[in-house]
């Protein structure tokens, strides 16, 4: 059974610092890995999708890497801003039908 | 493109009652999945619908049931509500480009 872990559970950084968020998964046979952002009480916003054949994806200040052999993905957010404060969730797609297995998330606070 | 829409946004029900939540998928998506998210936890997979059939199911009791309509919209029904069913219920539609989520329905059981 696929298990996804995100450490740390919470993180606080000053504005301008780079953020590094970690995600680990136990079964390397994933179809893809997706990073989401969640604001309090809201739904999930998709940030980046990395296909299993890819090593990384980039969108603006966001960069996500995928290392299937070690069971790890990392989300980098450059030059953090207070508006980046949210919970970040990673999810591994465990089958061709798109079922997602989520981590518990990392709650990020960026202080001005 | 309206994206994934869910209704209602908030709901309060009494133990033992039944509830129906609704979801319209993103345009062009034919697969709808439902997730339950308890406070402070990641979403847990409930079930997935494709071509009006339940294609796969997570570890949830039969009190949780669903339906998909010909226009791909979907409903989640929960019978005999328990206090532990209080959660944010998320609907996702998916394609090769990944999963897209709605804003969720916050269900409170009292």
């Amino acid at each position: 059974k696929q298990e996804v872990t995100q450490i740390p559970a919470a993180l606080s950084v000053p504005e301008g610092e780079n953020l590094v968020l970690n995600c680990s998964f136990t079964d390397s046979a994933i179809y893809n890995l997706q990073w989401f952002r969640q604001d309090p009480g809201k739904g999930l916003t998709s940030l980046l999708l990395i296909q299993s054949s890819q090593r990384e994806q980039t969108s603006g200040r966001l960069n996500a890497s995928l290392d299937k052999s070690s069971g790890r993905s990392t989300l980098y957010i450059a030059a953090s801003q207070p508006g980046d404060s949210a919970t970040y969730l990673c999810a591994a797609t465990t089958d061709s039908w798109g079922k997602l297995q989520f981590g518990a998330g990392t709650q990020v606070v960026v202080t001005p | 493109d309206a994206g994934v829409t869910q209704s209602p946004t908030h709901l309060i029900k009494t133990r033992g009652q039944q509830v129906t939540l609704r979801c319209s998928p993103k345009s062009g998506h034919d697969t709808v999945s439902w997730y339950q998210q308890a406070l402070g936890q990641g979403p847990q997979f409930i079930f997935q619908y494709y071509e009006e059939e339940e294609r796969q199911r997570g570890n949830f009791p039969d009190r949780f049931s669903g339906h998909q309509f010909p226009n791909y919209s979907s409903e989640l029904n929960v019978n005999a509500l328990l206090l532990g069913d209080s959660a944010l219920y998320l609907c996702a539609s998916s394609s090769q480009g990944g999963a897209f989520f709605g804003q969720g329905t916050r269900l409170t059981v009292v």
Side-chain angles (χ1 to χ4, degrees), chain A residues 32 34 36 38 41-46 49 51 89 95-105, chain B residues 31 35 37 40-43 45 48 55-56 88 90 94 96-104 106:
Chain A
N32 57 51
Q34 201 164 355
F36 296 90
Q38 186 173 34
K42 303 295 185 182
L44 307 183
T45 300
S46 178
L49 170 71
Q51 301 288 354
L89 295 139
D95 58 42
S96 59
W97 291 338
K99 175 183 171 183
L100 293 169
Q101 182 68 39
F102 281 88
Chain B
T31 300
Y35 292 81
Q37 186 179 25
Q41 298 181 22
F45 177 77
Q48 182 183 82
R55 182 158 65 178
Q56 54 181 332
L88 181 66
L90 296 162
S94 56
Q96 293 300 317
F100 294 85
F101 283 79
Q103 287 300 296
R106 170 67 65 184

Side-chain angles (χ1 to χ4, degrees), chain B residues 1-80:
Chain B
D1 182 4
V4 180
T5 58
Q6 292 187 241
S7 63
T9 55
H10 295 84
L11 206 51
I12 300 174
K13 289 287 189 178
T14 303
R15 276 180 300 173
Q17 285 189 317
Q18 179 264 345
V19 68
T20 298
L21 311 182
R22 295 175 175 84
C23 172
S24 292
K26 186 176 172 65
S27 177
H29 289 186
D30 57 9
T31 300
V32 174
S33 301
W34 288 92
Y35 292 81
Q36 180 195 66
Q37 186 179 25
L39 203 61
Q41 298 181 22
Q44 298 292 317
F45 177 77
I46 302 175
F47 44 55
Q48 182 183 82
Y49 276 83
Y50 173 72
E51 293 190 343
E52 303 180 50
E53 296 285 335
E54 182 183 293
R55 182 158 65 178
Q56 54 181 332
R57 187 179 184 92
N59 188 26
F60 279 80
D62 291 345
R63 298 187 298 107
F64 289 76
S65 64
H67 189 78
Q68 186 178 35
F69 300 92
N71 66 354
Y72 307 130
S73 66
S74 177
E75 289 182 347
L76 164 65
N77 301 294
V78 187
N79 295 322

Side-chain angles (χ1 to χ4, degrees), chain A residues 50-71:
Chain A
I50 313 174
Q51 301 288 354
S52 62
S53 58
Q54 297 175 319
R55 298 282 293 186
E56 66 176 345
Q57 276 288 339
T58 298
S59 176
R61 294 185 295 114
L62 276 60
N63 174 274
S65 65
L66 175 64
D67 184 344
K68 287 175 55 179
S69 63
S70 65

Side-chain angles (χ1 to χ4, degrees), chain A residues 11-24:
Chain A
L11 186 60
S12 181
V13 298
E15 182 177 3
E17 195 166 295
N18 296 332
L19 280 164
V20 181
L21 306 179
N22 298 304
C23 171
S24 61

